[in-house]
Amino acid sequence: MSEPSIVEISDLEVAFKVRTGRRGKRELLRAVNRASLSVGRGETVAVVGESGSGKSTMARAVLRQVALRGGTVRIDGVDVTSMRSREFRALRRKVQMVFQDPYSSLDPAMTVAESIAEPLVVHTNLNRRERHDRVAELLDVVGLSARHLDRYPYEFSGGQRQRLAIARAVALNPEAVLCDEPVSALDMSTQNQIINLLKDLQAQFGVSLLFISHDLAVVRHIAHRVAVMYLGSIVETGPAERVFSRPAHPYTKALLAAVPVPDPEVQQAGRRPSIRGDAFSGTTTAGCPFAGRCPEAMDLCREQTPPDFPVDGGGVGACWLLAEKVA
């Protein structure tokens, strides 16, 4: 029997009540719409898409930071969807999170030692000396030193603060870390340093990564598999190499076409039609979520939601155009 994925999301639904129109009628906004995804042990799965596509909401749903409307979340094979808070606490240490803005995720009134030791206080029985030694060890792991222990977050650069956030996230030796746009607020050089740090930690400790990003260049550098999300729905998944070299879904193709190329002539020669119009409301349920902007949309796309079709090279795509290739 195969070992269970460390994180498994099945038919996940998250919705929020929003006001629409001039009269402010309240409707359900489907932030995550029947999304399914798994993260294997020691694997990096990247979730990409435009802002507002539901990537961060899906990650927060794994840690029960938002309420689920449907579906299940399993951590290490255990369904945590309706688990009581006290029961969930024991599994919570297996999955930690690194947020986009390290300054807001670190308490400005706490020293580095206090911030990184906080999960150790909550989840372990280590005494003060043991916690101090563990924090010093973690600082070394992320490229800082024990001389930073008594400093405060404002004394560090953005890249250093993100290293501190990563140190806190791995303090409990988790099996998976959810990274929510962890490098988007950093300059290019610092981004590379943080990405290399995450890869080193994965190689050293075997930790799994669910990596949320809108930056395809970063994703290409770190991911084993890629899931493409649009308006709450996962429209394509597959091995990173296949998704980047042979995208199957029209939305994935449009995302890749929008990535800048240094050579203007190459950029112009490889140019594909841009996405038309604006993303329509997530309150709509009929048909493919991308149909309103897709240059290849058919009547069927607007009427029926496509299932996942297998794609040559691995993975699946939720697009009626792929049905012909399967048939």
Side-chain angles (χ1 to χ4, degrees), residues 134 136-144 163 170 197 200-201 204-205:
R134 175 60 174 159
E137 176 189 355
L138 289 165
L139 287 176
D140 182 65
V141 166
V142 299
L144 298 173
R163 288 176 185 271
V170 300
L197 171 61
D200 289 344
L201 291 174
Q204 185 175 353
F205 301 113

CSV table of all heavy atoms in Angstrom, one decimal, residues 134 136-144 163 170 197 200-201 204-205:
chain,number,residue,atom,x,y,z
A,134,ARG,N,17.9,25.4,20.7
A,134,ARG,CA,17.2,25.0,19.5
A,134,ARG,C,17.1,26.2,18.6
A,134,ARG,O,17.3,26.2,17.4
A,134,ARG,CB,15.8,24.4,19.8
A,134,ARG,CG,14.9,24.2,18.6
A,134,ARG,CD,15.6,23.2,17.7
A,134,ARG,NE,14.6,22.8,16.6
A,134,ARG,CZ,15.0,22.3,15.4
A,134,ARG,NH1,16.3,22.1,15.2
A,134,ARG,NH2,14.1,22.0,14.5
A,136,ALA,N,19.1,28.9,18.5
A,136,ALA,CA,20.4,29.2,18.0
A,136,ALA,C,20.7,28.3,16.8
A,136,ALA,O,21.3,28.7,15.8
A,136,ALA,CB,21.4,29.1,19.1
A,137,GLU,N,20.3,27.0,17.0
A,137,GLU,CA,20.6,26.0,15.9
A,137,GLU,C,19.8,26.4,14.6
A,137,GLU,O,20.3,26.3,13.5
A,137,GLU,CB,20.2,24.6,16.4
A,137,GLU,CG,20.3,23.5,15.3
A,137,GLU,CD,19.7,22.2,15.8
A,137,GLU,OE1,19.2,22.2,17.0
A,137,GLU,OE2,19.6,21.3,15.0
A,138,LEU,N,18.5,26.8,14.8
A,138,LEU,CA,17.7,27.2,13.7
A,138,LEU,C,18.2,28.4,13.0
A,138,LEU,O,18.2,28.5,11.7
A,138,LEU,CB,16.3,27.4,14.2
A,138,LEU,CG,15.5,26.2,14.6
A,138,LEU,CD1,14.3,26.6,15.4
A,138,LEU,CD2,15.1,25.4,13.4
A,139,LEU,N,18.7,29.4,13.7
A,139,LEU,CA,19.3,30.6,13.1
A,139,LEU,C,20.5,30.2,12.2
A,139,LEU,O,20.7,30.7,11.1
A,139,LEU,CB,19.7,31.6,14.2
A,139,LEU,CG,18.6,32.3,14.9
A,139,LEU,CD1,19.2,33.2,16.0
A,139,LEU,CD2,17.8,33.2,13.9
A,140,ASP,N,21.3,29.3,12.7
A,140,ASP,CA,22.4,28.8,11.9
A,140,ASP,C,21.9,28.1,10.6
A,140,ASP,O,22.5,28.3,9.5
A,140,ASP,CB,23.3,27.9,12.7
A,140,ASP,CG,24.5,27.4,11.9
A,140,ASP,OD1,25.4,28.2,11.6
A,140,ASP,OD2,24.6,26.2,11.7
A,141,VAL,N,20.9,27.3,10.7
A,141,VAL,CA,20.3,26.6,9.6
A,141,VAL,C,19.9,27.5,8.5
A,141,VAL,O,20.1,27.3,7.3
A,141,VAL,CB,19.2,25.7,10.0
A,141,VAL,CG1,18.3,25.2,8.8
A,141,VAL,CG2,19.7,24.5,10.8
A,142,VAL,N,19.3,28.7,8.9
A,142,VAL,CA,18.8,29.6,7.8
A,142,VAL,C,19.8,30.7,7.5
A,142,VAL,O,19.4,31.7,6.8
A,142,VAL,CB,17.5,30.3,8.3
A,142,VAL,CG1,16.4,29.2,8.5
A,142,VAL,CG2,17.7,31.1,9.6
A,143,GLY,N,21.0,30.6,7.9
A,143,GLY,CA,22.1,31.5,7.5
A,143,GLY,C,22.2,32.7,8.3
A,143,GLY,O,22.9,33.7,7.9
A,144,LEU,N,21.7,32.7,9.5
A,144,LEU,CA,21.9,33.8,10.5
A,144,LEU,C,22.7,33.2,11.7
A,144,LEU,O,23.3,32.2,11.6
A,144,LEU,CB,20.6,34.4,11.0
A,144,LEU,CG,19.7,35.0,9.9
A,144,LEU,CD1,18.3,35.4,10.4
A,144,LEU,CD2,20.4,36.2,9.2
A,163,ARG,N,14.0,34.9,6.4
A,163,ARG,CA,14.8,33.8,7.0
A,163,ARG,C,14.3,33.4,8.4
A,163,ARG,O,14.2,32.3,8.8
A,163,ARG,CB,16.3,34.1,7.0
A,163,ARG,CG,16.9,34.1,5.6
A,163,ARG,CD,18.3,34.6,5.7
A,163,ARG,NE,18.9,34.7,4.3
A,163,ARG,CZ,19.5,33.7,3.7
A,163,ARG,NH1,19.7,32.5,4.3
A,163,ARG,NH2,20.0,33.9,2.5
A,170,VAL,N,10.1,25.9,10.6
A,170,VAL,CA,10.7,24.6,10.7
A,170,VAL,C,11.2,24.2,12.1
A,170,VAL,O,11.8,23.1,12.3
A,170,VAL,CB,11.9,24.5,9.7
A,170,VAL,CG1,11.5,24.8,8.3
A,170,VAL,CG2,13.1,25.4,10.1
A,197,LEU,N,17.5,28.6,-0.2
A,197,LEU,CA,17.4,28.1,1.2
A,197,LEU,C,16.3,27.1,1.4
A,197,LEU,O,16.5,26.1,2.1
A,197,LEU,CB,17.1,29.3,2.1
A,197,LEU,CG,16.7,29.0,3.6
A,197,LEU,CD1,17.9,28.3,4.3
A,197,LEU,CD2,16.4,30.3,4.4
A,200,ASP,N,17.5,23.9,0.0
A,200,ASP,CA,18.4,23.2,0.9
A,200,ASP,C,17.8,22.6,2.1
A,200,ASP,O,18.1,21.5,2.5
A,200,ASP,CB,19.4,24.3,1.4
A,200,ASP,CG,20.4,24.8,0.3
A,200,ASP,OD1,20.5,24.1,-0.8
A,200,ASP,OD2,21.0,25.8,0.5
A,201,LEU,N,16.8,23.3,2.6
A,201,LEU,CA,16.0,22.7,3.8
A,201,LEU,C,15.3,21.4,3.3
A,201,LEU,O,15.2,20.4,4.1
A,201,LEU,CB,15.0,23.7,4.3
A,201,LEU,CG,15.6,24.9,5.0
A,201,LEU,CD1,14.6,25.9,5.4
A,201,LEU,CD2,16.4,24.5,6.3
A,204,GLN,N,17.8,18.7,3.0
A,204,GLN,CA,18.4,18.3,4.3
A,204,GLN,C,17.4,17.6,5.2
A,204,GLN,O,17.8,16.6,5.9
A,204,GLN,CB,18.9,19.5,5.0
A,204,GLN,CG,19.6,19.3,6.4
A,204,GLN,CD,20.2,20.5,7.0
A,204,GLN,OE1,20.2,21.6,6.3
A,204,GLN,NE2,20.7,20.4,8.2
A,205,PHE,N,16.1,18.0,5.2
A,205,PHE,CA,15.2,17.5,6.1
A,205,PHE,C,14.0,16.7,5.5
A,205,PHE,O,13.2,16.1,6.2
A,205,PHE,CB,14.5,18.6,7.0
A,205,PHE,CG,15.6,19.4,7.8
A,205,PHE,CD1,15.8,20.7,7.5
A,205,PHE,CD2,16.3,18.8,8.8
A,205,PHE,CE1,16.8,21.4,8.2
A,205,PHE,CE2,17.2,19.5,9.5
A,205,PHE,CZ,17.5,20.8,9.2
